């Protein structure tokens, strides 16, 4: 090609040669464009892509909606909202802490989009006992005022409690097989979410939030968490050097992260994003876990290890602070009581791990 370009730009030795090349190029480009536009397969691909772009625009740019006139406090660039914690990652994703956002502005943006949220939870075997508390506290604090579908994956549909729901919210019970060991469910959770993306989620919701069932909501959890892809800082490791993160270190595993890499340690108890992003994440994690299974290795913290590997190379667009996955027992066990019941930088506990 370089040669061809040079030939074309050189003073022509022969007009004939130049003409031949010219005609050849024309023929080639005609063939190429003809293939792109007339080939039915590529047309279909294109229309799928166009549709995907439209969805992406709808979801990722709530700023595109025009807000009504309303008076909000003025932001001050010279006065940071928080001085005690880091509020942005090096790739410019906000870290969501109390006091860093105005929920009224966010609500106005997301309401104008008629945002619908899917909250995915697995309740296998005896874990169904956590459902009542999970759903009741979610009704009180989770995305209040929005359309919410609770997707409950369970092997015991008859044990799902009936609780009163606010308008526009519904429970969708999806039966999964009863796996014999707790490990098996952790092996299949990613697969199940990925499978149901095509069957349900794309058509029914804009965003997916995947949570552990043994948690309870204790404060507002709203649209401030929504982003194309988000992860949550694990309450046990957020302040540590990455060499001390419980990442999978064995090179035989697909989840391996070397000692000199890693941003944060994310919890497997809360993650999410837009439907296409969660679909991609769960599919990739499932595939990596299957490769590990074939190689007879299981990552040290199973799906959480794979989630961490994924989020290292697909940086999340928002990171939730440990307000969203607080674990009282873990805090008490770390011997940090001189800092009180809570470290000073935790102003609110929004989601509490409560076994
Ligand atoms: C949201 O819903 C309202 C009422 O159903 C409708 O008028 C409006 O066009 C919708 N907006 C978007 C962005 O879909
Ligand atoms: C997911 O879908 C694949 C392909 O349709 C199927 O083979 C597999 O059993 C499904 N897995 C689960 C856990 O539903
Ligand atoms: C983390 O620990 C490693 C190895 O001990 C050290 O080289 C590195 O400087 C530490 N990083 C930070 C940010 O403290
Ligand atoms: C269905 C399935 O995958 N079962 C497996 C669950 O985990 C145990 C122990 O890891 C295996 O022995 C089962 O085959």
């Amino acid at each position: 090609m370089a040669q061809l370009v040079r030939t074309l730009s050189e003073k022509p030795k022969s007009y004939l040669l130049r003409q031949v090349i010219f005609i050849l190029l024309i023929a080639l480009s005609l063939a190429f464009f003809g293939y792109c536009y007339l080939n039915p397969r590529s047309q279909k691909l294109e229309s799928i892509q166009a549709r995907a772009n439209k969805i992406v625009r709808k979801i990722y740019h709530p700023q595109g909606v025009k807000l009504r006139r309303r008076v909000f406090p003025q932001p001050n660039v010279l006065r940071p909202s928080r001085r005690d914690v880091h509020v942005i990652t090096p790739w410019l994703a906000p870290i969501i802490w109390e006091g860093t956002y105005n929920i009224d502005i966010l609500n106005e943006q997301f309401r104008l989009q008629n945002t619908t949220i899917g909250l995915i939870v697995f309740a296998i075997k005896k874990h169904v006992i956590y459902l009542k508390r999970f759903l009741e506290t979610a009704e009180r604090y989770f995305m209040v005022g929005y359309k919410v579908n609770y997707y409950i994956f369970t092997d015991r549909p008859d044990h799902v409690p009936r609780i009163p729901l606010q308008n526009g919210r519904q429970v969708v019970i999806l039966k999964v097989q009863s796996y014999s060991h707790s490990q098996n469910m952790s092996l299949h959770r990613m697969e199940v979410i990925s499978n149901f993306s095509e069957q349900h989620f794309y058509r029914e919701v804009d965003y997916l939030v995947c949570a552990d069932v043994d948690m309870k909501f204790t404060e507002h959890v709203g649209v401030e968490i929504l982003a194309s892809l988000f992860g949550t800082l694990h309450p046990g490791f957020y302040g540590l050097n990455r060499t001390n993160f419980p990442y999978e270190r064995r090179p035989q595993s697909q989840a391996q992260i070397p000692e000199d890499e890693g941003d944060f340690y994310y919890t497997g108890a809360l993650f999410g994003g837009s439907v296409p992003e969660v679909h991609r994440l769960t599919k990739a994690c499932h595939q990596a876990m299957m490769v590990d299974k074939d190689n007879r290795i299981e990552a040290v913290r199973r799906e959480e290890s794979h989630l961490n590997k994924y989020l290292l190379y697909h940086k999340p667009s928002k990171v939730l602070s440990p307000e969203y996955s607080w674990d009282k027992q873990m805090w008490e066990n770390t011997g940090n009581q001189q800092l009180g019941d809570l470290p000073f930088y935790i102003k609110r506990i929004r989601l509490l791990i409560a076994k």
Side-chain angles (χ1 to χ4, degrees), residues 177 179-181 183-184 187-188 293:
Q177 76 182 84
Y179 295 99
S180 47
H181 296 255
Q183 262 129 325
N184 297 103
L187 196 60
H188 291 284
K293 194 176 173 217

Side-chain angles (χ1 to χ4, degrees), residues 67-347:
L67 302 181
R68 284 164 305 196
R69 175 188 145 71
R70 273 181 71 180
V71 178
F72 294 114
Q74 182 195 354
N76 183 340
V77 285
L78 300 181
R79 199 180 325 124
S81 52
R82 291 281 299 255
R83 291 173 186 276
D84 53 348
V85 288
H86 213 53
V87 299
I88 198 149
T89 67
W91 58 94
L92 300 181
I95 305 176
I96 313 301
W97 295 94
E98 168 69 10
T100 59
Y101 54 89
N102 182 329
I103 192 63
D104 297 329
I105 300 177
L106 292 170
N107 272 333
E108 186 141 348
Q109 288 178 334
F110 282 90
R111 287 236 171 83
L112 287 171
Q113 297 285 303
N114 296 333
T115 306
T116 303
I117 302 109
L119 178 56
I120 296 176
V121 71
F122 283 75
I124 306 297
K125 290 193 196 315
K126 61 181 193 323
H127 285 84
V128 289
I129 61 162
Y130 295 122
L131 270 176
K132 186 166 186 293
R133 184 184 65 192
F134 182 87
L135 291 171
E136 280 175 354
T137 58
E139 273 302 286
R140 191 146 169 226
Y141 296 115
F142 181 74
M143 303 287 170
V144 175
Y146 288 87
K147 283 180 272 178
V148 171
N149 285 1
Y150 296 102
Y151 294 108
I152 300 177
F153 290 97
T154 183
D155 55 343
R156 299 179 180 181
D158 299 337
H159 290 66
V160 175
R162 309 208 180 284
I163 65 151
L165 300 173
Q166 300 163 40
N167 263 349
R169 298 163 77 105
Q170 56 175 328
V171 165
V172 182
I173 301 172
L174 300 160
K175 192 168 185 323
V176 288
Q177 76 182 84
S178 160
Y179 295 99
S180 47
H181 296 255
S182 60
Q183 262 129 325
N184 297 103
M185 198 57 244
S186 142
L187 196 60
H188 291 284
R189 204 157 80 146
M190 293 292 189
E191 179 185 14
V192 170
I193 297 173
S194 152
N195 274 15
F196 276 83
S197 295
E198 274 140 20
Q199 298 165 24
H200 281 267
F201 307 144
Y202 276 101
R203 279 185 280 116
E204 297 169 1
V205 295
D206 302 313
Y207 291 93
L208 287 170
V209 177
C210 308
D212 275 2
V213 71
D214 59 359
M215 299 176 98
K216 67 174 179 187
F217 294 84
T218 55
E219 282 265 4
H220 160 99
V221 172
V223 294
E224 76 278 2
I225 71 170
L226 298 180
S228 56
L229 183 63
F230 70 83
T232 307
L233 300 181
H234 193 292
F237 305 102
Y238 56 88
L240 299 185
N241 187 311
R242 62 183 167 201
T243 54
N244 296 322
F245 288 159
Y247 287 150
E248 174 57 62
R249 302 295 186 185
R250 293 167 295 173
Q252 298 88 329
S253 169
Q254 300 297 305
Q256 186 229 3
I257 296 177
E259 296 257 324
D260 58 352
E261 282 186 78
D263 308 303
F264 305 114
Y265 190 79
Y266 301 99
T267 174
L270 189 71
F271 63 91
S274 67
V275 176
E277 287 293 340
V278 171
H279 185 203
R280 264 194 282 279
L281 177 153
T282 50
K283 195 168 170 186
C285 287
H286 168 61
Q287 280 167 353
M289 288 164 89
M290 286 300 114
V291 173
D292 273 11
K293 194 176 173 217
D294 287 345
N295 293 329
R296 297 212 164 74
I297 188 167
E298 189 177 68
V300 58
R301 291 173 76 112
R302 300 202 283 268
E303 68 172 8
E304 192 173 77
S305 302
H306 290 277
L307 175 72
N308 272 279
K309 176 70 174 267
Y310 187 88
L311 292 178
L312 172 59
Y313 297 128
H314 306 83
K315 303 282 193 220
S317 43
K318 275 187 187 172
V319 174
L320 310 188
S321 71
E323 288 169 26
Y324 293 88
S325 65
W326 195 245
D327 188 332
K328 257 193 180 131
Q329 214 166 4
M330 194 176 281
W331 174 249
E332 280 160 16
N333 292 345
T334 49
N336 280 320
Q337 265 69 37
Q338 72 274 21
L339 291 173
D341 285 347
L342 275 180
F344 58 88
Y345 43 80
I346 300 283
K347 313 274 186 216

